[in-house]
Amino acid sequence: MNLIIKNGFVFDPLNKIDGEKMDIFVKNGKIVQSLSPGEKKKAKIIDATNKTIMPGGVDSHTHIAGAKVTTGRMMCPELQYDTPISKTENTHCGSGNIVPSSYIIGYKYASMGYTSLFEPAIPPMLARHTHEELYHIPIVDKAGYLLLGNNWFVMKYLKEGDIDKAAAYVGWMLNTHKAYGIKCVNPAGVENWGWGMDVSSLDEANIHFEVTPREVIEGLCEVNEILGCPMSMHLHANNLGHPGNWEITRDSLEIPKNIGVTSKKHNSKKNIVNLDSKNNEIELEKTKIEWEREQNIYMTHVQFNAFGGTSWKDFESGTKGIIDYVNKSKHAIIDSGCVVFGQTICMTGDGPSIYGLGALTGGKWTNCDVELECGSGIAPMNYKKKNGVHATQWAMGLELILGIDDPWKVIMTTDSPNGGCFVHYPKIIAWLMSKKGRENTLNEVHKWASDRTDLPGMDREMSLYDIATVTRATAAKCVGLAHKKGHLGVGADADIAIYDINPNTLDVNDYDGIVNKFSCTEYTIKGGVIVSKGDKIVDASNGTTRFCNVSLPDEQVYQDVFKDIESWFKKYYSLRLKNYPTTDKYLTNPEAVNIGE
């Protein structure tokens, strides 16, 4: 079906379109310059008069699938059964407003205008299970990052100084588990946690492998560029959740500053050709903002690693040092990890941080060690307005987005569900757009939010253009998909969100109104198909699952690495090597991104 979306106000930062009233034409799932007279007669017309049009949202860090998500649901059934969602003609039943069941994740994201999601923590040994859950998330496109920061092979090769073997192994792992990017969680520390210890500084070597967090971060950033991965190395820094951790976060961002970015070598063609649903070639126009990533490190949920003070008694925001660093640097990008008040479940590949949270709150918690590879932890959490630390965290997440001058360096997230479920994104958008909304909340929460952060003095109110940048364009560019996602240029995928927002009459002082308008689109279009109208899902077809298909740089090095793999599987692993890989049958509409050629 071809579409004509008429008379909407378009916000497309990658093409520097800031509220221009224009028509958008869709043919065979792609955005085109126009339609022929005959095609226009048969096209479905959507009247977007006085509406806001943005590209489909891109969430580059959201926990939506895998063993820890499943465990979180089982640990807290009381947070699931009281929010039942009925089956409809087009949708499955489900439950959950904190960790929704798989089908509901797809429906709720689509209703909010999001069309591309990235699961940030795939344990290699549990990759099949993760992909099985991703398989049952409908509508949206999906991909995932592979946990490698505490992998025995990676630590072994980096300690030996053999970066070529490390690259060959990581490339093999990405291919084996159909993953899209490299994820590093509490480098060197999670391995220590398997032995009841952690690391607390960038230059503290862990036991057995005697490798430091600095060596792991630098090594994986270099490996990422050797392989030519589409996105930057994705880092969850050490000491998460500890007062004073902002300094190790800033210092971690500094580590790869001299490592060159290679993505442009792979995406530097003047025009990239897309194929529409009938395999017709559509040549993409270059966007006005270059779509290639410019950074080599992507630091995630920084709010949780921006703590100031020396203890919980003198706890304060430490965001300023990180904001100042990101503002002056070119090689680093972050997402915020904002906090929303209320009940949630914290889940992460960082076992020691969850143990600390459980000990602090006195609540239930669980840890898991994944042999030779990584770990995880889960604990329920309730962010309270009258808790000084929680109120400060709420302010810190907003500080990070408002304080970073360039919206191309920051992405809006909650580290869902850690800071709050993704369904609360409209609240964050409203706080970013409305100073009055922030002031009203500051008056409701513990005074630490006013006394120990810079938020009260921040006058910035983000525009619809800014919001489109931090929720769409920046994320698409960061993960290396901005040639086809996150914008509305010719040849891009026709992923489109239409909101009932008239920019000419929008009242930024109406916080609740902004929340309501962003909570549900008038239309969400995915790949040229209308998938939701208002609060109803009308088409729940599956999107694609993207993964990297890595061309390994040196066959002999790969053969040497594979001998190590075979040997260690026989010696240490509890499963056979032949049962380790994830095959295409676990993926919905698999789409390989070829790299390293």
Side-chain angles (χ1 to χ4, degrees):
M1 178 176 64
N2 297 336
L3 298 173
I4 304 174
I5 305 170
K6 297 183 68 65
N7 298 321
F9 294 102
V10 176
F11 294 88
D12 178 4
L14 275 163
N15 287 296
K16 294 186 176 181
I17 299 172
D18 185 2
E20 180 181 342
K21 183 178 281 191
M22 57 192 298
D23 297 342
I24 295 175
F25 301 91
V26 175
K27 179 179 179 179
N28 296 331
K30 305 294 179 183
I31 295 174
V32 295
Q33 189 70 49
S34 186
L35 298 173
S36 69
E39 290 169 335
K40 287 181 179 180
K41 288 182 179 180
K42 296 179 180 179
K44 177 177 178 57
I45 296 175
I46 297 175
D47 184 3
T49 301
N50 295 329
K51 312 293 185 188
T52 287
I53 301 174
M54 294 183 182
V58 180
D59 196 340
S60 55
H61 187 108
T62 176
H63 296 277
I64 53 174
K68 65 182 177 301
V69 175
T70 303
T71 302
R73 295 186 185 111
M74 292 190 295
M75 276 184 67
C76 302
E78 69 277 10
L79 303 180
Q80 296 293 123
Y81 63 69
D82 63 347
T83 53
I85 296 162
S86 300
K87 179 181 183 295
T88 72
E89 181 181 355
N90 297 307
T91 63
H92 289 261
C93 61
S95 66
N97 280 326
I98 294 174
V99 186
S101 49
S102 296
Y103 289 111
I104 306 305
I105 288 174
Y107 305 150
K108 290 196 172 188
Y109 261 114
S111 292
M112 288 181 5
Y114 276 76
T115 55
S116 297
L117 312 179
F118 291 79
E119 161 56 49
I122 300 179
M125 186 178 284
L126 302 173
R128 285 187 182 184
H129 171 70
T130 305
H131 280 295
E132 284 176 325
E133 284 204 52
L134 290 174
Y135 190 98
H136 289 95
I137 297 176
I139 304 173
V140 297
D141 290 343
K142 299 148 286 190
Y145 316 145
L146 200 64
L147 290 165
L148 291 164
N150 290 272
N151 182 285
W152 283 19
F153 291 94
V154 170
M155 292 188 294
K156 172 183 183 296
Y157 294 139
L158 293 180
K159 182 59 182 177
E160 292 170 353
D162 200 330
I163 197 70
D164 291 333
K165 281 190 174 181
Y169 174 76
V170 169
W172 177 79
M173 286 287 277
L174 292 173
N175 290 345
T176 296
H177 297 297
K178 302 296 186 291
Y180 186 80
I182 297 172
K183 176 68 175 295
C184 180
V185 172
N186 186 1
V190 174
E191 171 57 25
N192 258 19
W193 187 240
W195 308 92
M197 294 174 279
D198 199 354
V199 297
S200 58
S201 75
L202 288 173
D203 296 306
E204 178 185 349
N206 66 1
I207 59 175
H208 302 131
F209 291 92
E210 298 183 341
V211 67
T212 69
R214 185 183 303 276
E215 290 169 326
V216 175
I217 294 169
E218 183 174 25
L220 283 177
C221 283
E222 188 172 350
V223 163
N224 194 69
E225 304 306 332
I226 289 172
L227 296 177
C229 291
M231 64 174 288
S232 307
M233 197 276 283
H234 194 58
L235 177 63
H236 161 135
N238 302 88
N239 289 350
L240 181 140
H242 292 271
N245 63 12
W246 76 269
E247 293 185 74
I248 198 171
T249 302
R250 177 203 58 197
D251 295 345
S252 297
L253 287 168
E254 176 81 356
I255 290 171
K257 68 176 181 178
N258 294 321
I259 296 174
V261 176
T262 61
S263 70
K264 291 194 176 188
K265 294 181 181 179
H266 302 284
N267 292 327
S268 60
K269 296 178 182 178
K270 289 185 178 179
N271 293 290
I272 296 177
V273 172
N274 247 354
L275 296 178
D276 66 18
S277 60
K278 295 184 178 179
N279 289 326
N280 298 313
E281 290 188 352
I282 297 179
E283 193 175 79
L284 288 103
E285 292 183 349
K286 266 290 187 181
T287 52
K288 292 184 179 179
I289 300 290
E290 288 193 4
W291 61 50
E292 296 90 349
R293 69 173 168 94
E294 300 169 58
Q295 295 84 16
N296 58 26
I297 188 167
Y298 171 3
M299 180 83 77
T300 189
H301 46 65
V302 171
Q303 177 274 133
F304 292 104
N305 270 94
F307 291 2
T310 60
S311 70
W312 297 116
K313 291 182 179 180
D314 65 356
F315 176 83
E316 63 181 358
S317 170
T319 61
K320 186 179 186 305
I322 298 169
I323 290 169
D324 289 346
Y325 184 86
V326 174
N327 277 337
K328 71 179 182 181
S329 70
K330 294 183 179 180
H331 70 283
I333 193 167
I334 71 165
D335 71 55
S336 58
C338 292
V339 159
V340 180
F341 296 110
Q343 181 69 53
T344 192
I345 303 173
C346 292
M347 52 184 66
T348 173
D350 190 349
S353 73
I354 288 294
Y355 168 75
L357 180 61
L360 186 66
T361 63
K364 52 188 173 182
W365 62 277
T366 185
N367 269 187
C368 177
D369 179 74
V370 181
E371 56 194 55
L372 281 78
E373 295 181 343
C374 55
S376 71
I378 303 111
M381 183 68 183
N382 190 4
Y383 294 105
K384 300 177 180 179
K385 288 183 176 181
K386 296 304 182 181
N387 180 294
V389 171
H390 300 168
T392 305
Q393 286 184 267
W394 163 78
M396 289 163 56
L398 301 177
E399 279 185 305
L400 286 165
I401 302 176
L402 295 169
I404 291 174
D405 299 328
D406 185 354
W408 294 98
K409 291 183 178 180
V410 62
I411 299 162
M412 189 201 82
T413 69
T414 60
D415 184 23
S416 180
N418 287 280
C421 182
F422 64 86
V423 298
H424 297 300
Y425 283 179
K427 294 180 180 179
I428 301 169
I429 291 172
W431 280 317
L432 294 174
M433 294 185 71
S434 175
K435 187 176 190 297
K436 182 178 179 182
R438 298 195 295 269
E439 289 173 344
N440 289 343
T441 305
L442 281 166
N443 290 330
E444 297 173 356
V445 304
H446 195 284
K447 66 186 185 70
W448 281 11
S450 295
D451 297 344
R452 302 190 181 192
T453 80
D454 293 330
L455 186 64
M458 289 182 162
D459 295 328
R460 183 179 183 185
E461 292 182 320
M462 299 189 89
S463 65
L464 289 169
Y465 186 82
D466 293 331
I467 295 301
T469 306
V470 300
T471 62
R472 283 137 165 94
T474 301
K477 183 174 180 178
C478 172
V479 299
L481 283 176
H483 58 288
K484 62 194 303 184
K485 300 290 185 182
H487 75 96
L488 300 172
V490 171
D493 290 352
D495 293 0
I496 305 166
I498 305 174
Y499 296 97
D500 184 19
I501 298 172
N502 183 343
N504 293 328
T505 59
L506 176 64
D507 180 4
V508 296
N509 292 320
D510 182 8
Y511 172 85
D512 291 333
I514 297 172
V515 173
N516 291 334
K517 296 297 186 182
F518 275 103
S519 294
C520 187
T521 62
E522 287 282 294
Y523 289 90
T524 300
I525 297 161
K526 170 70 179 64
V529 176
I530 298 171
V531 295
S532 73
K533 291 182 181 180
D535 60 355
K536 299 196 181 301
I537 299 295
V538 296
D539 189 297
S541 302
N542 286 320
T544 63
T545 302
R546 288 188 176 82
F547 61 94
C548 285
N549 180 35
V550 184
S551 178
L552 300 174
D554 189 309
E555 179 64 25
Q556 184 56 55
V557 172
Y558 165 69
Q559 292 299 332
D560 292 341
V561 167
F562 196 73
K563 289 178 183 177
D564 289 342
I565 294 170
E566 290 179 312
S567 172
W568 280 28
F569 260 82
K570 291 177 182 177
K571 187 174 182 179
Y572 296 117
Y573 271 89
S574 62
L575 79 167
R576 294 183 179 181
L577 180 56
K578 69 178 182 180
N579 296 324
Y580 191 56
T582 302
T583 58
D584 281 0
K585 73 176 184 179
Y586 290 92
L587 281 61
T588 51
N589 302 323
E591 180 180 304
V593 177
N594 296 317
I595 63 172
E597 296 179 329

XYZ file of all heavy atoms in Angstrom, residues 476-551:
559
model
N 19.728 6.656 16.110
C 19.908 5.979 14.820
C 21.326 6.159 14.303
O 21.946 5.226 13.781
C 18.895 6.514 13.809
N 21.853 7.366 14.444
C 23.225 7.638 14.011
C 24.224 6.878 14.870
O 25.192 6.301 14.364
C 23.481 9.141 14.069
C 24.850 9.564 13.563
C 24.969 11.082 13.512
C 26.346 11.496 13.009
N 26.481 12.961 12.899
N 23.984 6.864 16.167
C 24.893 6.216 17.106
C 25.050 4.722 16.822
O 26.145 4.178 16.923
C 24.377 6.425 18.528
S 25.236 5.521 19.801
N 23.948 4.058 16.456
C 24.012 2.617 16.211
C 24.292 2.279 14.749
O 24.252 1.111 14.354
C 22.720 1.910 16.674
C 22.521 2.093 18.163
C 21.501 2.402 15.891
N 24.557 3.282 13.938
C 24.962 3.028 12.564
C 23.842 2.693 11.616
O 24.065 2.027 10.587
N 22.626 3.151 11.921
C 21.494 2.863 11.039
C 20.835 4.121 10.486
O 19.736 4.071 9.954
C 20.439 2.034 11.786
C 20.756 0.552 11.964
C 19.675 -0.115 12.808
C 20.886 -0.161 10.623
N 21.508 5.261 10.623
C 20.881 6.518 10.217
C 20.786 6.686 8.708
O 20.199 7.663 8.245
C 21.637 7.700 10.822
N 21.348 5.773 7.931
C 21.111 5.843 6.491
C 19.701 5.378 6.137
O 19.208 5.657 5.044
C 22.144 5.011 5.722
C 22.176 3.564 6.109
N 22.675 3.132 7.307
C 21.766 2.457 5.441
C 22.579 1.807 7.370
N 22.026 1.380 6.249
N 19.021 4.681 7.088
C 17.685 4.174 6.769
C 16.687 4.335 7.908
O 15.488 4.170 7.706
C 17.763 2.706 6.359
C 18.290 1.771 7.430
C 18.671 0.401 6.888
C 17.549 -0.297 6.179
N 17.908 -1.661 5.743
N 17.145 4.650 9.095
C 16.269 4.824 10.253
C 16.481 6.225 10.841
O 17.501 6.856 10.648
C 16.567 3.775 11.330
C 16.376 2.337 10.892
C 14.911 2.001 10.697
C 14.727 0.514 10.374
N 13.298 0.184 10.124
N 15.498 6.687 11.592
C 15.652 7.939 12.319
C 15.519 9.193 11.491
O 15.777 10.289 11.978
N 15.126 9.044 10.218
C 14.884 10.234 9.399
C 13.833 9.930 8.346
O 13.403 8.776 8.177
C 16.179 10.754 8.783
C 16.705 9.952 7.634
N 16.456 10.283 6.323
C 17.484 8.840 7.596
C 17.062 9.421 5.521
N 17.696 8.533 6.276
N 13.419 10.978 7.623
C 12.323 10.864 6.665
C 12.757 11.255 5.260
O 11.953 11.713 4.452
C 11.140 11.729 7.120
C 10.562 11.365 8.497
C 9.531 12.400 8.939
C 9.948 9.968 8.479
N 14.051 11.051 4.968
C 14.562 11.362 3.646
C 14.250 10.283 2.630
O 13.864 9.161 2.970
N 14.439 10.614 1.354
C 14.152 9.680 0.272
C 15.006 8.421 0.418
O 16.215 8.484 0.617
C 14.406 10.337 -1.095
C 14.327 9.310 -2.226
C 13.406 11.459 -1.326
N 14.358 7.261 0.337
C 15.027 5.975 0.447
C 15.029 5.397 1.841
O 15.317 4.213 2.017
N 14.727 6.212 2.861
C 14.691 5.698 4.233
C 13.494 4.780 4.427
O 12.497 4.853 3.699
C 14.616 6.861 5.228
N 13.592 3.893 5.407
C 12.445 3.066 5.764
C 11.301 3.973 6.209
O 11.517 4.939 6.952
C 12.809 2.113 6.903
C 13.784 1.022 6.470
O 14.061 0.916 5.263
O 14.259 0.284 7.352
N 10.105 3.637 5.782
C 8.943 4.462 6.116
C 8.434 4.117 7.513
O 7.355 3.537 7.691
C 7.845 4.286 5.077
N 9.256 4.457 8.516
C 8.873 4.344 9.920
C 8.517 5.754 10.389
O 9.392 6.626 10.493
C 10.025 3.791 10.756
C 10.372 2.346 10.413
O 9.727 1.774 9.526
O 11.292 1.804 11.043
N 7.254 5.975 10.694
C 6.745 7.342 10.871
C 5.802 7.380 12.080
O 4.963 6.487 12.252
C 5.998 7.813 9.608
C 6.905 7.690 8.372
C 5.499 9.241 9.776
C 6.148 7.814 7.057
N 5.958 8.422 12.891
C 5.053 8.653 14.021
C 4.335 9.983 13.821
O 4.975 11.004 13.562
C 5.826 8.667 15.333
N 3.005 9.966 13.935
C 2.188 11.172 13.790
C 1.500 11.440 15.125
O 0.706 10.621 15.602
C 1.140 11.013 12.675
C 1.821 10.626 11.354
C 0.335 12.293 12.510
C 0.844 10.295 10.226
N 1.834 12.571 15.728
C 1.287 12.927 17.035
C 0.253 14.048 16.891
O 0.400 14.932 16.034
C 2.397 13.406 17.971
C 3.425 12.352 18.305
C 4.624 12.287 17.604
C 3.190 11.431 19.321
C 5.579 11.320 17.910
C 4.139 10.460 19.635
C 5.329 10.413 18.925
O 6.267 9.461 19.227
N -0.746 14.026 17.765
C -1.774 15.064 17.765
C -1.242 16.291 18.506
O -1.726 16.668 19.572
C -3.041 14.536 18.437
C -4.174 15.543 18.391
O -4.110 16.471 17.556
O -5.120 15.409 19.195
N -0.216 16.891 17.922
C 0.424 18.070 18.504
C 0.522 19.133 17.424
O 1.148 18.913 16.376
C 1.837 17.739 19.030
C 1.771 16.685 20.147
C 2.534 19.003 19.536
C 3.130 16.175 20.589
N -0.081 20.258 17.673
C 0.044 21.403 16.771
C 1.149 22.301 17.324
O 0.984 22.924 18.376
C -1.270 22.170 16.698
C -1.222 23.325 15.713
O -0.138 23.774 15.306
N -2.388 23.816 15.317
N 2.315 22.370 16.665
C 3.426 23.168 17.191
C 3.056 24.638 17.392
O 3.636 25.304 18.254
C 4.505 23.022 16.110
C 4.146 21.788 15.369
C 2.663 21.697 15.401
N 2.106 25.132 16.626
C 1.755 26.555 16.715
C 0.937 26.882 17.964
O 0.873 28.042 18.385
C 0.968 26.977 15.473
C 1.827 26.941 14.219
O 3.026 27.181 14.277
N 1.210 26.634 13.088
N 0.313 25.869 18.537
C -0.513 26.118 19.728
C -0.017 25.346 20.945
O -0.668 25.382 22.002
C -1.981 25.738 19.450
O -2.064 24.351 19.095
C -2.551 26.587 18.323
N 1.109 24.659 20.810
C 1.640 23.862 21.919
C 1.995 24.759 23.104
O 2.732 25.738 22.960
C 2.883 23.099 21.456
C 3.624 22.281 22.530
C 2.730 21.159 23.054
C 4.918 21.720 21.955
N 1.477 24.424 24.274
C 1.753 25.161 25.503
C 2.745 24.354 26.337
O 2.380 23.335 26.925
C 0.449 25.391 26.274
C 0.661 26.168 27.577
O 1.804 26.595 27.839
O -0.324 26.322 28.328
N 3.995 24.816 26.392
C 5.007 24.059 27.123
C 4.774 24.105 28.632
O 5.375 23.321 29.377
C 6.433 24.553 26.802
C 6.766 24.328 25.343
C 6.621 26.004 27.200
N 3.922 24.981 29.094
C 3.590 25.006 30.514
C 2.562 23.947 30.902
O 2.318 23.712 32.080
C 3.060 26.384 30.916
C 4.126 27.462 30.843
O 5.271 27.227 31.218
N 3.756 28.636 30.350
N 1.974 23.326 29.882
C 0.963 22.284 30.117
C 1.663 20.922 30.162
O 1.651 20.165 29.198
C -0.092 22.323 29.016
C -1.206 21.301 29.224
O -1.249 20.663 30.295
O -2.024 21.129 28.292
N 2.272 20.629 31.293
C 3.037 19.390 31.443
C 2.180 18.163 31.158
O 2.559 17.285 30.368
C 3.624 19.312 32.865
C 4.265 17.994 33.197
C 5.586 17.733 32.857
C 3.543 16.989 33.851
C 6.176 16.509 33.151
C 4.111 15.772 34.147
C 5.433 15.528 33.798
O 6.011 14.320 34.090
N 1.008 18.087 31.786
C 0.149 16.915 31.605
C -0.290 16.763 30.150
O -0.411 15.637 29.644
C -1.080 17.017 32.508
C -0.729 16.872 33.988
O 0.285 16.225 34.290
O -1.478 17.414 34.820
N -0.526 17.890 29.488
C -0.917 17.820 28.090
C 0.163 17.223 27.215
O -0.123 16.422 26.315
N 1.424 17.603 27.471
C 2.536 17.042 26.701
C 2.639 15.540 26.946
O 2.833 14.747 26.010
C 3.848 17.758 27.062
C 3.778 19.237 26.681
C 5.026 17.094 26.343
C 4.960 20.047 27.175
N 2.509 15.131 28.209
C 2.559 13.699 28.534
C 1.497 12.948 27.754
O 1.770 11.911 27.127
C 2.373 13.476 30.052
C 2.244 11.986 30.357
C 3.531 14.074 30.836
N 0.283 13.451 27.767
C -0.817 12.761 27.076
C -0.575 12.675 25.573
O -0.841 11.636 24.949
C -2.138 13.485 27.358
C -2.588 13.335 28.796
O -2.235 12.370 29.463
N -3.369 14.291 29.286
N -0.078 13.741 24.975
C 0.109 13.757 23.522
C 1.194 12.782 23.074
O 1.100 12.173 22.001
C 0.451 15.172 23.048
C -0.642 16.210 23.262
C -1.901 15.898 22.475
C -2.916 17.016 22.596
N -4.169 16.713 21.866
N 2.254 12.635 23.885
C 3.334 11.724 23.507
C 3.094 10.283 23.959
O 3.851 9.388 23.596
C 4.676 12.221 24.061
C 5.347 13.234 23.172
C 5.321 14.584 23.489
C 5.998 12.831 22.013
C 5.935 15.523 22.670
C 6.610 13.752 21.182
C 6.580 15.105 21.509
N 2.052 10.061 24.749
C 1.778 8.702 25.227
C 1.191 7.815 24.144
O 1.272 6.584 24.231
C 0.814 8.754 26.420
O 1.426 9.378 27.531
N 0.609 8.434 23.129
C -0.043 7.649 22.087
C -0.080 8.458 20.799
O -0.491 9.623 20.807
C -1.459 7.286 22.533
S -2.307 6.159 21.437
N 0.346 7.860 19.723
C 0.315 8.546 18.440
C -1.093 8.528 17.844
O -1.934 7.706 18.221
C 1.253 7.874 17.428
O 0.811 6.518 17.207
C 2.694 7.872 17.909
N -1.320 9.442 16.898
C -2.512 9.335 16.060
C -2.356 8.149 15.102
O -3.284 7.369 14.908
C -2.695 10.615 15.259
C -3.165 11.800 16.070
C -4.645 11.757 16.361
O -5.449 11.867 15.414
O -4.998 11.603 17.543
N -1.161 8.054 14.518
C -0.802 6.929 13.657
C 0.659 6.572 13.917
O 1.498 7.460 14.065
C -0.922 7.285 12.168
C -2.316 7.461 11.640
C -2.925 8.713 11.671
C -3.017 6.395 11.075
C -4.202 8.900 11.162
C -4.294 6.574 10.550
C -4.882 7.831 10.597
O -6.146 8.010 10.095
N 0.945 5.280 13.946
C 2.322 4.810 13.831
C 2.405 3.955 12.577
O 1.585 3.049 12.364
C 2.761 3.991 15.049
O 2.676 4.794 16.232
C 4.200 3.515 14.884
N 3.389 4.272 11.755
C 3.590 3.566 10.487
C 4.936 2.877 10.549
O 5.956 3.498 10.860
C 3.528 4.546 9.308
C 2.127 5.185 9.245
C 3.874 3.864 7.995
C 2.077 6.461 8.446
N 4.953 1.579 10.284
C 6.199 0.803 10.331
C 6.409 0.149 8.972
O 5.603 -0.657 8.520
C 6.109 -0.276 11.426
C 7.245 -1.289 11.410
C 8.539 -0.635 11.837
C 9.670 -1.647 11.850
N 9.988 -2.198 10.531
N 7.492 0.550 8.288
C 7.773 -0.009 6.973
C 6.655 0.227 5.986
O 6.369 -0.616 5.124
N 6.015 1.399 6.113
C 4.943 1.748 5.189
C 3.589 1.168 5.535
O 2.615 1.413 4.822
N 3.494 0.427 6.634
C 2.241 -0.191 7.055
C 1.728 0.525 8.303
O 2.486 0.732 9.257
C 2.434 -1.693 7.365
C 1.139 -2.308 7.894
C 2.906 -2.433 6.122
N 0.468 0.898 8.307
C -0.134 1.497 9.496
C -0.286 0.395 10.542
O -1.030 -0.573 10.337
C -1.496 2.123 9.178
C -1.330 3.256 8.160
C -2.158 2.645 10.453
C -2.652 3.786 7.631
N 0.410 0.526 11.672
C 0.367 -0.513 12.703
C -0.480 -0.110 13.898
O -0.961 -0.967 14.637
C 1.792 -0.901 13.158
C 2.556 -1.540 12.000
C 2.552 0.287 13.720
N -0.644 1.202 14.116
C -1.519 1.612 15.211
C -2.244 2.895 14.841
O -1.714 3.751 14.135
C -0.737 1.805 16.508
O 0.050 2.971 16.472
N -3.485 2.993 15.335
C -4.294 4.203 15.213
C -4.770 4.539 16.620
O -5.514 3.764 17.229
C -5.508 3.982 14.313
C -5.214 3.780 12.849
C -6.539 3.625 12.091
C -6.309 3.388 10.615
N -7.604 3.228 9.894
N -4.349 5.671 17.117
C -4.702 5.987 18.486
C -4.181 4.920 19.414
O -3.014 4.512 19.332
N -5.011 4.397 20.293
C -4.556 3.385 21.249
C -4.829 1.968 20.770
O -4.731 1.021 21.549
C -5.228 3.606 22.611
C -6.757 3.510 22.537
O -7.294 3.369 21.421
O -7.393 3.579 23.600
N -5.117 1.795 19.486
C -5.432 0.469 18.968
C -4.365 -0.008 17.974
O -3.986 0.722 17.060
C -6.807 0.456 18.297
C -7.947 0.810 19.251
C -9.277 0.411 18.689
C -10.402 0.797 19.656
N -10.249 0.173 20.970
N -3.901 -1.236 18.186
C -2.993 -1.881 17.240
C -3.829 -2.483 16.118
O -4.753 -3.267 16.363
C -2.169 -2.985 17.925
C -1.310 -2.400 19.056
C -1.292 -3.711 16.905
C -0.252 -1.434 18.606
N -3.529 -2.100 14.883
C -4.311 -2.583 13.746
C -3.527 -3.557 12.878
O -4.098 -4.227 12.021
C -4.822 -1.404 12.885
C -5.783 -0.550 13.696
C -3.681 -0.557 12.346
N -2.206 -3.633 13.089
C -1.388 -4.609 12.356
C -0.209 -4.971 13.251
O 0.543 -4.092 13.675
C -0.884 -4.024 11.038
C -0.209 -5.071 10.153
O 0.839 -5.629 10.577
O -0.700 -5.331 9.042
N -0.067 -6.246 13.555
C 0.979 -6.697 14.476
C 1.989 -7.599 13.783
O 2.508 -8.550 14.369
C 0.366 -7.409 15.677
N 2.283 -7.300 12.539
C 3.285 -8.087 11.810
C 4.663 -7.921 12.448
O 4.929 -6.940 13.144
C 3.326 -7.635 10.347
O 2.064 -7.765 9.742
N 5.536 -8.861 12.178
C 6.871 -8.824 12.766
C 7.816 -7.939 11.979
O 7.787 -7.908 10.746
C 7.460 -10.236 12.838
C 6.824 -11.061 13.933
O 6.566 -10.555 15.020
N 6.568 -12.325 13.653
N 8.675 -7.226 12.694
C 9.757 -6.483 12.063
C 10.955 -7.376 11.826
O 10.860 -8.609 11.857
N 12.104 -6.768 11.600
C 13.318 -7.526 11.336
C 14.149 -7.676 12.611
O 13.966 -6.957 13.593
C 14.195 -6.826 10.277
O 14.609 -5.558 10.796
C 13.424 -6.612 8.993
N 15.073 -8.632 12.595
C 16.117 -8.738 13.612
C 17.455 -8.548 12.907
O 17.808 -9.319 12.012
C 16.109 -10.102 14.312
O 14.826 -10.311 14.919
C 17.186 -10.170 15.387
N 18.176 -7.505 13.298
C 19.460 -7.197 12.651
C 20.615 -7.783 13.447
O 20.582 -7.848 14.669
C 19.643 -5.686 12.510
C 18.753 -5.078 11.473
C 19.091 -3.613 11.215
N 18.253 -3.116 10.132
C 17.014 -2.701 10.277
N 16.477 -2.694 11.474
N 16.309 -2.283 9.251
N 21.642 -8.171 12.724
C 22.855 -8.671 13.358
C 24.022 -8.428 12.418
O 23.839 -8.211 11.205
C 22.731 -10.165 13.681
C 22.525 -11.039 12.470
C 23.594 -11.646 11.828
C 21.249 -11.244 11.964
C 23.401 -12.440 10.709
C 21.041 -12.042 10.842
C 22.122 -12.648 10.212
N 25.215 -8.461 12.973
C 26.406 -8.233 12.159
C 26.919 -9.546 11.584
O 27.029 -10.558 12.285
C 27.510 -7.582 12.990
S 27.209 -5.839 13.305
N 27.220 -9.498 10.307
C 27.891 -10.614 9.636
C 29.332 -10.152 9.386
O 29.589 -9.367 8.472
C 27.182 -10.959 8.328
C 27.834 -12.115 7.604
O 28.334 -13.038 8.235
N 27.838 -12.060 6.285
N 30.246 -10.640 10.237
C 31.607 -10.117 10.259
C 32.506 -10.906 9.324
O 32.575 -12.139 9.400
C 32.184 -10.172 11.690
C 33.568 -9.533 11.734
C 31.247 -9.486 12.673
N 33.196 -10.190 8.462
C 34.243 -10.798 7.641
C 35.536 -10.715 8.433
O 36.071 -9.623 8.654
C 34.373 -10.056 6.308
O 35.405 -10.607 5.532
